[in-house]
């Protein structure tokens, strides 16, 4: 069924990136359709830093837990505590959080539709027609622009953006379980545990992230054939969480690095996982998805105002200027430190250092490299070199 109305933008995908872009454009008075699949929940640790909470005005009631420390577990089972001095990392339930973001977009004027994206076509007038399936029937909506925010295997990206089909990914799997009430499990409701052990992940890490009444237990790997479910089963057994109730199981790809191009030089721009913006080494994606969604909305607004298609490329340019250096550093960290258990052991050992802990959390909380403490950076560099050369004690 073809509609005669032409919207300013159709946002395909209603996760944090798509919902943020839809809300920003609707607030500017643009006509927006937010298209999302029914019943979609992405596997995710659910951590959001203070900068996200402040920048995107997230109410405290959406936080299901406040994490005040992280614990790093080495291959040798040595454990390093990293307290978050004077602050916390918020945890959200993605099922509730994403729906709240979509409802906020609708409240400021975005039109929500439920359906699965099929394709984009263009008739004689060149206007994009987004085809989607809803209730077994194919529907259509026309728009001057399209934002593809439909995940790491984005169908919009593969159809519209050159090179998007070659995106490399880590596959993540987690189980949402009932948080233990007793003292028998190795568990703390205010602590995230990160396991750097090759048996649990040969090239990434495994995790236990509390979400209040529930907990995410998961792992990820880019290695084909690695048994993610068996890894999570082993982690649950090792921590005494094997007897807790399993609520649901989820898996999905996580991009390894940003795509080199996010737009089709015509009327489409990407955001979130579709653009590949998940932080290497940590796998963190919610803040970067929402920041990318905002940059995509700004790029679309600039294009609609000027008609200059070069404005669409501004989304990637702005994102990489703000976060590209951090992504490069984290990518190098993952490539080097996650490559063997010997290196993982040294990596966890480095995390004992107070300078490393302080600068790590400063950078995480504020989403930028901290340059205010040059002597601390110098000390960290010297300590890193000692570990790299095998001269430091583990």
């Amino acid at each position: 069924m073809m509609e005669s109305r032409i919207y300013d933008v159709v946002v395909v995908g209603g996760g944090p990136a798509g919902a943020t872009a839809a809300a920003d454009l609707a607030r500017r008075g643009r006509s927006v359709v937010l298209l999302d699949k029914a019943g979609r929940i992405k596997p995710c640790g659910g951590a959001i830093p203070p900068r996200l909470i402040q920048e995107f005005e997230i109410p405290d009631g959406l936080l299901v837990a406040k994490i005040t420390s992280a614990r790093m577990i080495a291959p040798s089972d040595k454990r390093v505590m990293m307290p978050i001095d004077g602050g916390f990392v918020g945890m959200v339930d993605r099922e509730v959080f994403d729906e709240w973001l979509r409802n906020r977009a609708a409240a400021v004027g975005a039109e929500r539709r439920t359906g699965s994206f099929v394709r984009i076509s263009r008739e004689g007038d060149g206007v994009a027609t987004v085809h989607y399936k809803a209730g077994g029937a194919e529907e259509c909506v026309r728009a001057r622009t399209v934002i593809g925010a439909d995940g790491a295997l984005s169908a919009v990206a593969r159809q519209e953006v050159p090179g998007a089909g070659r995106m490399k990914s880590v596959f993540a799997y987690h189980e949402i379980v009932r948080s233990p009430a007793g003292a028998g499990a190795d568990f703390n409701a205010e602590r995230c545990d990160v396991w750097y052990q090759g048996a649990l992940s040969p090239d990434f890490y495994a995790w236990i992230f509390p979400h209040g009444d529930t907990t995410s237990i998961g792992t990820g790997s880019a290695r084909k054939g690695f048994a993610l479910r068996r890894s999570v089963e082993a982690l649950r057994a090792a921590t005494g969480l094997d007897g807790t109730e399993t609520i649901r199981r989820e898996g999905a790809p996580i991009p390894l690095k940003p795509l080199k191009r996010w737009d089709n030089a015509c009327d489409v721009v990407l955001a979130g996982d579709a653009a590949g913006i998940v932080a290497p080494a940590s796998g963190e994606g919610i803040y970067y998805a929402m920041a990318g969604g905002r940059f995509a909305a700004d790029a679309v607004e600039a294009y609609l105002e000027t008609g200059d298609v070069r404005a669409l490329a501004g989304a990637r340019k702005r994102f990489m200027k703000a976060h590209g250096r951090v992504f490069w550093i984290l990518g190098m960290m993952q490539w080097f430190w996650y490559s063997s258990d010997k290196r993982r052991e040294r990596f966890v050992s480095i995390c004992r250092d107070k300078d490393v802990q302080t600068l790590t959390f400063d950078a995480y909380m504020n989403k930028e490299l901290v340059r205010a403490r040059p002597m601390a950076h110098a000390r960290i560099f010297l300590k890193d070199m000692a570990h790299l050369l095998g001269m430091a004690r583990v």
Side-chain angles (χ1 to χ4, degrees):
M1 177 179 171
M2 180 69 71
E3 295 183 19
S4 59
R5 180 180 180 181
I6 299 176
Y7 289 82
D8 288 320
V9 60
V10 171
V11 181
V12 180
T20 298
D24 282 5
L25 286 163
R27 287 192 191 98
R28 291 168 169 155
R30 296 297 179 181
S31 54
V32 181
V33 170
L34 178 59
L35 175 67
D36 195 51
K37 293 180 180 178
R40 175 198 52 76
I41 307 172
K42 180 189 172 183
C44 176
I48 60 173
R51 178 170 173 177
L52 184 154
I53 295 169
Q54 180 179 6
E55 196 170 304
F56 296 97
E57 300 178 320
I58 303 303
D60 192 71
L62 278 179
L63 305 183
V64 294
K66 294 181 178 180
I67 300 302
T68 57
S69 67
R71 185 174 65 166
M72 328 289 276
I73 299 95
S76 66
D77 210 42
K78 289 180 180 178
R79 288 136 195 255
V80 173
M81 289 293 298
M82 297 181 67
I84 304 172
D85 295 331
F88 67 88
V89 173
M91 305 299 288
V92 295
D93 180 334
R94 285 293 299 272
E95 183 176 12
V96 176
F97 182 70
D98 289 16
E99 181 64 11
W100 184 87
L101 292 175
R102 290 189 287 268
N103 284 335
R104 179 164 71 173
V108 295
E111 179 183 326
R112 288 188 61 178
R113 298 193 188 186
T114 301
S116 299
F117 172 83
V118 176
R119 61 190 172 91
I120 296 173
S121 66
R122 295 172 183 82
E123 303 301 330
D125 58 4
V127 175
T129 299
V130 176
H131 302 254
Y132 63 97
K133 284 189 177 180
E138 185 170 301
E139 304 284 348
C140 299
V141 57
R142 307 182 78 204
R144 296 169 64 193
T145 55
V146 177
I147 295 177
D150 51 333
L153 300 179
S154 167
V156 174
R158 292 198 306 272
Q159 178 183 326
E160 293 290 330
V161 178
R166 296 188 294 273
M167 179 185 288
K168 294 182 179 180
S169 300
V170 165
F171 198 85
Y173 168 78
H174 78 162
E175 297 178 358
I176 298 295
V177 307
R178 192 72 61 192
S179 295
D186 183 10
F187 176 81
N188 185 321
E190 295 183 352
R191 183 191 71 214
C192 283
D193 287 346
V194 187
W195 294 71
Y196 294 100
Q197 298 182 353
L200 296 174
S201 172
D203 51 357
F204 201 56
Y205 63 82
W207 68 83
I208 298 176
F209 289 172
H211 289 171
D213 292 338
T214 64
T215 294
S216 166
I217 307 175
T219 188
S221 177
R223 186 172 297 180
K224 291 183 179 179
F226 182 74
L228 297 173
R229 286 199 176 205
R230 285 206 294 272
S231 173
V232 170
E233 181 181 325
L235 180 55
R236 291 181 66 173
T239 54
L241 295 170
D242 49 343
T244 56
E245 176 191 358
T246 302
I247 298 170
R248 64 179 188 265
R249 297 178 173 88
E250 299 158 348
I254 298 176
L256 287 176
K257 65 179 182 179
L259 290 174
K260 292 183 178 179
R261 183 170 176 177
W262 294 4
D263 70 285
N264 68 346
C266 177
D267 54 8
V268 173
V269 65
L270 306 177
D273 283 12
I277 47 176
V278 174
S282 69
E284 183 201 356
I286 301 177
Y287 173 78
Y288 295 113
M290 296 178 75
R294 178 151 289 172
F295 289 149
D298 291 344
V300 164
E301 176 67 22
Y303 166 66
L304 293 173
E305 280 285 331
T306 65
D308 187 348
V309 297
R310 292 175 296 181
L312 297 176
R316 188 183 190 280
K317 289 178 181 177
R318 290 182 62 198
F319 184 92
M320 297 307 292
K321 182 178 180 180
H323 305 294
R325 189 178 177 205
V326 170
F327 271 48
W328 183 84
I329 291 171
L330 290 175
M332 292 299 292
M333 284 178 56
Q334 180 173 337
W335 172 80
F336 183 83
W337 291 115
Y338 295 6
S339 61
S340 70
D341 270 354
K342 182 178 180 181
R343 289 181 177 179
R344 292 185 190 95
E345 192 73 34
R346 292 191 174 278
F347 174 70
V348 173
S349 181
I350 289 173
C351 293
R352 290 197 198 106
D353 187 89
K354 188 63 177 177
D355 288 327
V356 171
Q357 293 182 9
T358 300
L359 291 176
T360 295
F361 280 119
D362 281 350
Y364 174 79
M365 303 288 231
N366 300 305
K367 287 291 161 273
E368 58 187 18
L369 294 175
V370 180
R371 298 182 176 87
R373 301 178 63 209
M375 290 307 297
H377 281 286
R379 289 195 298 269
I380 290 171
F381 172 77
L382 292 173
K383 293 166 188 174
D384 281 353
M385 289 304 297
H387 279 276
L388 286 170
L389 296 172
M391 297 164 56
R393 295 178 63 185
V394 178

